């Protein structure tokens, strides 16, 4: 949320290589989406879904809870919807 993407990426990589949660993958996906890396974001969201037991309803619920934050970061609402539909 502070636009410190490089610093965030360092921390997310450490978390992902240790013991990530579904929320960690979700937030890492948000980071990728904020940087325009939509394919990478989708891949991370899918990893989040795996940790949720492939509960895509729960993943979409978590994703949509962050929608206003994603828009505040400057991510186009259409792209947010497109990624959500891809989930």
């Amino acid at each position: 949320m502070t636009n410190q993407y490089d610093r965030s990426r360092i921390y997310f990589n450490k978390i992902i290589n240790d013991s990530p949660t579904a929320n960690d993958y979700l937030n890492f996906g948000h980071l990728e989406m904020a940087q325009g890396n939509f394919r990478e974001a989708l891949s991370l969201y899918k990893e989040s879904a795996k940790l949720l037991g492939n509960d895509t309803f729960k993943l979409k619920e978590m994703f949509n809870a962050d929608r206003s934050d994603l828009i505040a970061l400057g991510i186009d609402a259409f792209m947010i919807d497109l990624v959500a539909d891809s989930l």
Side-chain angles (χ1 to χ4, degrees), residues 4-73:
Q4 295 180 7
Y5 299 131
D6 291 336
R7 186 173 182 191
S8 295
R9 182 176 309 288
I10 290 168
Y11 288 111
F12 276 120
N13 280 320
K14 287 180 182 180
I15 292 168
I16 296 302
N17 289 321
D18 188 24
S19 55
T21 66
N23 202 50
D24 293 327
Y25 277 109
L26 178 78
N27 288 320
F28 198 0
H30 292 345
L31 170 66
E32 291 295 350
M33 194 157 56
Q35 293 196 284
N37 302 323
F38 297 102
R39 287 181 188 211
E40 290 84 354
L42 194 53
S43 177
L44 290 162
Y45 294 142
K46 287 179 181 179
E47 290 299 319
S48 180
K50 285 180 188 176
L51 290 177
L52 293 170
N54 291 318
D55 185 346
T56 55
F57 179 79
K58 178 64 176 169
L59 178 61
K60 280 188 169 185
E61 186 178 78
M62 292 168 57
F63 182 89
N64 287 327
D66 294 340
R67 182 180 171 77
S68 61
D69 292 330
L70 297 173
I71 291 171
L73 288 171

